[in-house]
Amino acid sequence: MHNLNDPQLLKNFSYINGSWHSSAGDIAVNNPATGKTVAKVSNAGVIETELAIKAAKDAFKAWSAKSANERAALLRNWFNLMMDNLDDLGRILTLEQGKPLAEAKGEVAYGAAFIEWFAEEGKRVYGDTIPAPSGDKRIVVIKQPIGVVAAITPWNFPNAMIARKAAAALASGCTFVVRPATQTPLSALAMAELAERAGIPAGVFNVVVGDDARGMGKVLTEHEDVAKFTFTGSTGVGKSLISQCASTVKKVSMELGGNAPFIVFDDADIDAAVAGALVSKYRNAGQTCVCTNRILVQEGVLAEFTEKFVAAVKGLSLGDGLEEGVTIGPMITAQAVDDVKKLIDASISAGAQLALGDYDTNLGESFLAPTVLTGVTNDMPIANNEIFGPVSPIISFKNEEEAIAIANDTEFGLAAYFYSRDIGRIWRVAEGVDFGMVGINEGIISNAAAPFGGMKQSGNGREGSKYGLDDYLEIKYLCMGGLDK
Ligand code: NAP
């Protein structure tokens, strides 16, 4: 029905302790492009979440006792299977999430790259020896897996947001329970099927699918057998989950919302800046946490940049992500479209101008045409909210100092981008912006080798890179005394 090479990758049940677990009731997973139901998935809840935590706890002893090499071999099997099944995983992802097929396959390859990366990085969990303050002692530091990890992930990257966390957790020797977003459980379940085929033992990787976000979230954040909680999603929900984790003093990492500035200075290569802004804004229909949220352009190049940028945005092709040639898909729901339209309308009422955009796409209620607004100021709703949609607000500025001030005038601190050819300016601005990731003459910055994460209210912790294991490890200090006898 869905033209999969391997129909076994489409699963309908939660994956707990190495088996597929049916529950009372179903959740319909709908294709955002057509509104049609792609699959029905059994609706798990609090009980299944507790079962998955128990399975992860029971599996921890044997998994953490494996050598890093043994874990790496299994993770590499998983990586290989994801790459071997790229076409099917991409198709499942587009069907449930909407992004164009090429982008969906790109996400699967990106997610798999974290599994490959951490398979190797797990072999490098080095400790330390530290000179002791007296001759009869030795100080040794070792790192050990923290235990059971619980995760909640969003719908905008149904594969990669799980892979980034699970790969680091499993490579460290932790076991894992994830609750994926209700709208996009199929990619998570396909990953579970491949984890099983890869030989990852029962209980090490568990997926619980259910629409009781609060109830299941409460278990994942408050259960005493969960040592670490990791979340990717909105800042508002993240804050409440942090407070829930306080009752058991869990280690917490948060990948939350963003409000990325994209700054174009007078000395920039304007064509490169246009290309960078296009991809950083309209990828995934503007629904990524690192999407450009505000385009800041210096007055001297405002007219040239705006003209070229609007022309480039007109070249995007809006439609069903499974259709050939489509470069921008639907938004996740009609409600998401309405929310973004409200931001556009409120900003136009406040004085912004519509340079490009058309509400009437004739494609369906989940589609919003790529939009460009000019004459925007940083106090307008389109600039001071995370848009999470295909809209570019253009704000002008006079000088470098003003650009940095506008860029930092947000509670978020995830990603920022700027274009300049001046080496002095590049260092000043890179150090002056309060964001965890900075693209300099680059619009796409994330990869497995680099630390992904935010400052301020965009979260804490880092995913990927050599730092990504830290969130899943305990540091243990061994003091060896009596050595002079
Ligand atoms: P969201 O509403 O916060 O939902 C994210 C996840 O949390 C979903 O699985 C959701 O379940 C669950 N959830 C919602 N309310 C909950 C509660 N009270 N208790 C427990 N779980 C709860 O965010 P979203 O709209 O799906 O995702 C977009 C947000 O994620 C944006 O702000 C974006 O910037 C952020 N994001 C950040 C990163 C990053 O790495 N920093 C990456 C991607 C996305 P349901 O699906 O059942 O609602």
Side-chain angles (χ1 to χ4, degrees):
M1 167 188 171
H2 299 304
N3 293 326
L4 299 178
N5 299 315
D6 180 354
Q8 285 305 314
L9 290 175
L10 198 68
K11 293 290 177 196
N12 310 88
F13 303 108
S14 290
Y15 182 70
I16 302 170
N17 203 19
S19 52
W20 301 96
H21 198 101
S22 91
S23 318
D26 287 327
I27 303 168
V29 181
N30 296 327
N31 180 340
T34 61
K36 290 191 181 135
T37 297
V38 179
K40 288 193 172 166
V41 176
S42 201
N43 191 9
V46 164
I47 291 170
E48 291 85 349
T49 308
E50 285 168 345
L51 276 178
I53 293 170
K54 181 174 184 322
K57 188 187 176 197
D58 292 346
F60 177 70
K61 195 169 174 204
W63 182 249
S64 59
K66 280 189 189 298
S67 71
N69 273 16
E70 288 171 318
R71 288 196 293 264
L74 296 174
L75 287 169
R76 179 156 276 279
N77 290 346
W78 198 17
F79 160 76
N80 285 334
L81 285 166
M82 278 176 61
M83 295 307 290
D84 292 348
N85 290 281
L86 194 68
D87 287 348
D88 280 352
L89 294 177
R91 207 170 170 82
I92 289 170
L93 206 160
T94 294
L95 282 165
E96 67 177 345
Q97 201 274 342
K99 67 180 65 173
L101 190 55
E103 242 186 271
K105 289 188 202 173
E107 177 186 333
V108 175
Y110 168 81
F114 285 84
I115 298 176
E116 183 187 39
W117 172 268
F118 282 115
E120 294 307 312
E121 205 58 26
K123 298 173 186 169
R124 291 184 274 275
V125 179
Y126 302 132
D128 267 317
T129 58
I130 300 174
S134 61
D136 64 334
K137 292 192 177 64
R138 298 290 184 273
I139 294 176
V140 178
V141 175
I142 61 170
K143 293 184 181 172
Q144 293 182 302
I146 189 163
V148 174
V149 173
I152 296 180
T153 52
W155 49 263
N156 64 341
F157 288 93
N159 176 301
M161 295 304 100
I162 296 173
R164 265 189 353 199
K165 297 178 189 302
L170 268 55
S172 306
C174 298
T175 52
F176 193 81
V177 177
V178 60
R179 178 192 174 275
T182 309
Q183 278 135 335
T184 56
L186 301 176
S187 294
L189 296 174
M191 287 174 76
E193 167 69 15
L194 294 178
E196 180 169 285
R197 290 185 199 175
I200 292 177
V204 171
F205 179 77
N206 305 276
V207 182
V208 274
V209 175
D211 62 6
D212 180 10
R214 273 177 194 278
M216 295 164 84
K218 201 168 153 51
V219 177
L220 293 170
T221 50
E222 296 183 356
H223 202 293
E224 292 203 339
D225 291 337
V226 173
K228 190 230 153 65
F229 178 73
T230 170
F231 175 70
T232 299
S234 60
T235 295
V237 172
K239 284 179 187 176
S240 62
L241 297 176
I242 292 171
S243 63
Q244 286 174 211
C245 286
S247 62
T248 48
V249 196
K250 287 191 203 324
K251 188 160 174 167
V252 171
S253 54
M254 293 276 145
E255 298 286 350
L256 306 176
N259 182 346
F262 186 106
I263 311 171
V264 185
F265 288 102
D266 276 349
D267 61 80
D269 174 338
I270 299 301
D271 292 334
V274 166
L278 191 72
V279 65
S280 119
K281 174 70 247 185
Y282 293 102
R283 189 166 65 103
N284 203 8
Q287 303 168 113
T288 89
C289 50
V290 293
C291 266
T292 288
N293 207 60
R294 299 166 288 156
I295 302 182
L296 279 49
V297 188
Q298 199 160 4
E299 284 175 350
V301 289
L302 182 63
E304 181 190 357
F305 176 87
T306 305
E307 190 190 330
K308 287 182 169 173
F309 184 65
V310 167
V313 178
K314 275 186 188 158
L316 293 172
S317 172
L318 183 68
D320 183 332
L322 288 180
E323 279 170 21
E324 196 70 33
V326 164
T327 50
I328 178 166
M331 294 187 64
I332 189 71
T333 54
Q335 179 63 50
V337 171
D338 285 347
D339 291 346
V340 175
K341 281 181 180 171
K342 280 187 193 127
L343 291 177
I344 297 173
D345 291 344
S347 302
I348 290 175
S349 301
Q353 294 100 49
L354 188 68
L356 182 71
D358 180 4
Y359 277 6
D360 188 14
T361 65
N362 293 322
L363 288 168
E365 56 183 11
S366 295
F367 286 90
L368 181 62
T371 301
V372 180
L373 293 175
T374 53
V376 174
T377 53
N378 209 41
D379 55 358
M380 290 182 185
I382 202 76
N384 61 27
N385 283 281
E386 183 180 29
I387 304 168
F388 237 60
V391 185
S392 293
I394 297 184
I395 300 172
S396 71
F397 66 89
K398 288 189 172 36
N399 56 42
E400 190 180 304
E401 203 180 10
E402 189 190 2
I404 294 173
I406 296 173
N408 287 341
D409 184 17
T410 165
E411 70 270 28
F412 295 110
L414 193 59
Y417 309 86
F418 68 92
Y419 278 64
S420 168
R421 291 279 158 198
D422 178 313
I423 189 69
R425 167 171 283 162
I426 284 174
W427 276 105
R428 286 192 302 275
V429 177
E431 290 173 359
V433 293
D434 299 331
F435 293 83
M437 297 173 281
V438 184
I440 303 163
N441 298 318
E442 277 296 338
I444 295 282
I445 54 177
S446 183
N447 58 72
F452 190 104
M455 294 162 59
K456 292 159 78 176
Q457 294 188 33
S458 287
N460 52 42
R462 292 294 182 271
E463 294 186 342
S465 83
K466 68 171 182 171
Y467 306 103
L469 292 178
D470 294 347
D471 277 312
Y472 300 93
L473 294 167
E474 285 285 14
I475 288 177
K476 189 182 278 180
Y477 150 52
L478 314 179
C479 180
M480 305 175 75
L483 300 180
D484 55 347
K485 294 195 181 106

